Amino acid sequence: MISSGSTLYRLLRHLQPYRGLVAWAAFCSVVNKVFDLAPPVLIALAVDVLSASSVNQQQTAWLARFGAEDVPSQLLMLAVLSFLVWSAESLFEYLYGVLWRNLAQSTQHSLRLEAYGHLQTLEMDFFEHDSSGRLLTVLNEDINQLERFLDRGANEILQLITTVVLVGGAMALMAPGVAFFAYLPIPVILWGSLQFQKRLAPRYREVRDQAGTLGSRLANNLSGMLTIKSFTAEAWELEQLRRDSEAYRSSNRRAIKLSAAFIPLIRFAILFAFIAILMIGGLKTWRGELSIGTYSFLVFITQRLLWPLTTLGRTLDDYQRSMASSRRVLDLIDTPVQIRSGSSPFPPERVRGAISYEHVDFGYRNRELLLKDFCLQINAGATVGIVGATGSGKSTLMKLLLRLYPLSEGRICIDGRSINTLNLNDLRRSIALVSQEVYLFQGSVAANIAYGNPQATRQQVIAAAQQAEADGFIQGLPNGYDTLVGERGQRLSGGQRQRIALARAILKDAPILVLDEATAAVDNETEAAIQRSLLQITANRTTLVIAHRLSTVRHADQIVVLEHGRIVQQGRHDELLQKGGAYAELWRVQAGLRPDEAMTV
């Protein structure tokens, strides 16, 4: 388990760009506390002035040095000093408030961008083994928790240290015998604070983990609301949420129970010191060993010294919450990247599109190898259909081509160059993908089509939509191309989303096009229309068509039939029908033919 000290060190490294802002904020906090501690000194001086006047002494030596020799002038001087002290205190309080809050906002901003930016570099395997709800909790709640500590906690710690140093030093100089009793509770308070910190740390780690679990539950349920309703599982899901929420509440309750006990216990240590100062200092003043002003100062300043220590519990509480949250954020940032970009440039305009899988081994985490010594050659500009049963490895070939997963063995080449050596952004810019799981972003239809080419004109967007047989239904939408599609495109049908995704890939104009079940969610009429447009779309580019419907690939230059990650047949549509075997059987089933009926091309 990573300690809070280690987490703090890691966090401070991320604050290096803001060290100037940190220094100014810390300076303003310390100066503000210096002025905040001045009023008890002024009160002590005022008491001395008046007590001296009562025994016909017309001056206080310290004030007399500045020309104030009688009581009225001394009181006037104290009034002016009070005005200046309070003004300076208010000014520096404003400055440290602005600086610490700006630091908190800047840190929050940079950490969120760094965490999300790093998240985008991670391979798909990471997202398949983590939950989007937990990641959202890290990027939002955990980073906000750190912001709250920087807003308030760092300033409180600095001012507490300043108070102990200045007040402790002043008391030691003025009345060391009395000051000793004010110091006695400090070790007890510090020891108690450290003990509370040790006990609170694991409880707050548990709180943040439970928050991630709860966030994951909510995110999954909101995404799967249609399934919940269709299976009338509302009551069951509400019960699951109740359990997760109760676990979160219980973990918080255990942390609160411990943190709430801190201040009441500290009060007794402070009470001991205050009573000691009150009695011992009072007796010394009665005997004439201390002036009334000094005694007044000691009584006032003892509370100023010890009472801020009660905030140590709240500050440590905020600190432990922020360290628990920071650990989760920094752990995300420090997650190692398994797929790193190569150094060789690979400009899409120079890509011919010849693809080769050379002795490739690959398996998903904690599963057996799916591809073993897999080899496949695809000529530049060819249209290749890849078919097979579910789980045969069709979509895996596409994911490996995009370098979404690392290979176990072998290599994949484009135009004779290993994709591991290529600049990753260049590689992915060279491939346009239409996935079977179409994702549209919240925004307009036009913005989603232009997603891969933001500089595209409206005419280019419309032309791509026409090629994808999408222009007809788009024109019929309430606002045409400016119609908002809703979150994940939920305001559109599955076929409409798929045609927009196809238009998006067309507009990208990449030399390699991958269609992963691109017609799976469209009706037969739309599929026929898309088939006609594919003849134009696939011209002069390498196209991989992954399909369950064999009608989608019947005109391909080459068809590859997969079974359990192996190529069992390869050829053109009519050749494979004549050979019989796996492809012919799939065609027979999809065409609705009986075993005794003649196979037709």
Side-chain angles (χ1 to χ4, degrees):
M1 186 65 68
I2 299 173
S3 68
S4 61
S6 174
T7 302
L8 179 61
Y9 174 74
R10 295 163 68 197
L11 178 61
L12 290 175
R13 285 188 301 160
H14 286 270
L15 290 177
Q16 282 295 314
Y18 305 108
R19 55 183 178 272
L21 187 56
V22 172
W24 275 111
F27 172 78
C28 291
S29 292
V30 172
V31 174
N32 166 261
K33 179 50 64 175
V34 171
F35 285 113
D36 179 57
L37 294 172
V41 178
L42 299 177
I43 292 173
L45 290 173
V47 170
D48 274 345
V49 167
L50 295 175
S51 62
S53 67
S54 65
V55 292
N56 296 319
Q57 295 178 2
Q58 292 298 310
Q59 62 181 27
T60 298
W62 186 82
L63 294 174
R65 295 176 186 174
F66 297 93
E69 299 182 353
D70 55 18
V71 171
S73 60
Q74 290 178 355
L75 291 177
L76 179 61
M77 179 176 287
L78 289 175
V80 172
L81 287 174
S82 297
F83 175 80
L84 293 176
V85 165
W86 281 80
S87 298
E89 180 190 358
S90 298
L91 172 63
F92 281 98
E93 182 174 4
Y94 167 77
L95 290 176
Y96 83 63
V98 170
L99 292 171
W100 281 118
R101 288 172 187 174
N102 284 339
L103 175 64
Q105 292 297 322
S106 298
T107 303
Q108 178 193 44
H109 174 72
S110 63
L111 274 179
R112 180 175 286 117
L113 290 182
E114 185 178 2
Y116 178 74
H118 183 75
L119 197 64
Q120 291 188 130
T121 67
L122 299 178
E123 62 287 347
M124 291 304 298
D125 180 73
F126 172 84
F127 298 96
E128 291 172 358
H129 289 82
D130 209 327
S131 70
S132 58
R134 190 194 78 86
L135 295 175
L136 285 172
T137 300
V138 171
L139 294 173
N140 281 315
E141 290 186 26
D142 286 322
I143 289 179
N144 290 342
Q145 186 69 50
L146 175 61
E147 176 205 2
R148 285 190 286 272
F149 173 72
L150 289 176
D151 258 355
R152 183 181 65 189
N155 170 67
E156 289 179 347
I157 290 174
L158 280 173
Q159 294 205 334
L160 180 61
I161 294 172
T162 304
T163 299
V164 171
V165 171
L166 291 182
V167 175
M171 292 180 71
L173 288 173
M174 297 176 67
V178 179
F180 171 76
F181 293 96
Y183 300 155
L184 277 180
I186 293 179
V188 176
I189 293 172
L190 293 177
W191 178 82
S193 299
L194 293 175
Q195 292 303 310
F196 269 84
Q197 178 183 350
K198 289 179 181 178
R199 292 175 179 270
L200 277 172
R203 299 195 183 194
Y204 281 130
R205 281 196 293 268
E206 181 186 355
V207 168
R208 299 317 309 156
D209 290 341
Q210 292 293 344
T213 300
L214 182 60
S216 177
R217 170 75 62 184
L218 289 170
N220 286 335
N221 285 13
L222 291 175
S223 299
M225 193 57 68
L226 175 61
T227 303
I228 292 172
K229 288 181 176 295
S230 65
F231 282 88
T232 63
E234 292 92 342
W236 190 85
E237 288 295 346
L238 182 60
E239 175 61 21
Q240 300 308 304
L241 180 64
R242 187 196 66 78
R243 291 181 181 179
D244 288 344
S245 184
E246 178 60 34
Y248 175 63
R249 184 173 70 164
S250 297
S251 60
N252 253 315
R253 187 181 293 157
R254 287 190 290 272
I256 291 170
K257 184 178 179 181
L258 181 60
S259 65
F262 180 80
I263 291 179
L265 293 175
I266 295 301
R267 282 178 185 269
F268 284 99
I270 294 173
L271 177 63
F272 167 79
F274 182 75
I275 291 174
I277 297 294
L278 188 69
M279 292 297 297
I280 298 171
L283 290 173
K284 284 181 175 289
T285 304
W286 178 63
R287 296 188 192 117
E289 298 175 15
L290 290 176
S291 69
I292 297 177
T294 301
Y295 175 65
S296 301
F297 172 77
L298 291 174
V299 171
F300 279 113
I301 211 68
T302 299
Q303 287 187 317
R304 301 297 294 274
L305 170 66
L306 298 177
W307 188 250
L309 293 174
T310 62
T311 65
L312 193 60
R314 185 186 67 187
T315 303
L316 287 175
D317 189 74
D318 288 343
Y319 173 77
Q320 286 300 343
R321 285 181 181 270
S322 66
M323 288 303 102
S325 295
S326 298
R327 179 179 60 85
R328 286 158 56 86
V329 176
L330 296 174
D331 283 350
L332 175 59
I333 292 174
D334 293 340
T335 301
V337 177
Q338 295 186 28
I339 298 176
R340 297 191 176 276
S341 175
S343 58
S344 298
F346 196 61
E349 60 273 12
R350 298 183 183 177
V351 176
R352 295 185 300 107
I355 302 170
S356 61
Y357 293 79
E358 301 175 3
H359 306 286
V360 170
D361 286 357
F362 173 75
Y364 294 100
R365 191 197 302 184
N366 300 325
R367 290 156 67 179
E368 295 182 358
L369 286 179
L370 176 59
L371 303 178
K372 295 181 181 179
D373 198 31
F374 183 88
C375 297
L376 175 64
Q377 298 289 329
I378 299 173
N379 296 328
T383 298
V384 176
I386 301 175
V387 301
T390 300
S392 59
K394 304 185 299 298
S395 296
T396 300
L397 296 181
M398 170 271 296
K399 294 173 182 177
L400 296 179
L401 182 64
L402 282 161
R403 287 199 72 197
L404 300 178
Y405 296 86
L407 297 179
S408 301
E409 293 290 343
R411 67 175 190 162
I412 300 173
C413 297
I414 299 179
D415 295 342
R417 301 170 65 184
S418 171
I419 62 174
N420 289 0
T421 67
L422 304 178
N423 179 279
L424 195 56
N425 287 335
D426 285 351
L427 169 67
R428 290 173 180 169
R429 278 198 295 265
S430 300
I431 303 171
L433 168 67
V434 182
S435 174
Q436 58 183 321
E437 299 175 0
V438 175
Y439 191 97
L440 298 184
F441 296 90
Q442 193 165 7
S444 68
V445 171
N448 272 280
I449 294 175
Y451 186 74
N453 187 3
Q455 291 76 35
T457 65
R458 178 56 67 97
Q459 290 72 22
Q460 290 173 315
V461 169
I462 294 173
Q466 289 172 340
Q467 279 188 278
E469 298 289 334
D471 181 67
F473 85 81
I474 293 174
Q475 297 288 3
L477 294 173
N479 297 310
Y481 283 85
D482 295 318
T483 301
L484 299 179
V485 302
E487 188 176 2
R488 301 177 64 91
Q490 60 188 0
R491 296 177 186 172
L492 303 176
S493 70
Q496 290 173 334
R497 291 196 297 268
Q498 207 149 28
R499 279 179 279 175
I500 289 176
L502 181 59
R504 181 165 61 190
I506 293 169
L507 189 59
K508 186 178 181 181
D509 195 27
I512 299 173
L513 175 64
V514 178
L515 306 175
D516 187 3
E517 301 290 351
T519 60
V522 300
D523 54 44
N524 292 332
E525 182 180 350
T526 304
E527 182 189 9
I530 292 177
Q531 288 289 354
R532 292 192 299 270
S533 65
L534 280 178
L535 295 176
Q536 180 182 355
I537 295 169
T538 59
N540 301 318
R541 59 166 50 94
T542 305
T543 306
L544 277 67
V545 184
I546 299 168
H548 280 294
R549 294 183 183 179
L550 300 188
S551 57
T552 306
V553 299
R554 63 181 299 179
H555 299 297
D557 299 320
Q558 182 183 16
I559 298 173
V560 177
V561 185
L562 296 182
E563 283 186 3
H564 306 297
R566 296 182 301 107
I567 298 176
V568 294
Q569 284 189 306
Q570 197 170 350
R572 295 180 64 86
H573 173 74
D574 51 354
E575 295 172 354
L576 293 174
L577 287 184
Q578 292 174 3
K579 289 180 181 178
Y583 183 84
E585 184 59 29
L586 285 172
W587 180 263
R588 184 192 303 276
V589 171
Q590 292 190 14
L593 301 176
R594 296 192 304 271
D596 58 340
E597 289 185 285
M599 191 75 72
T600 57
V601 177

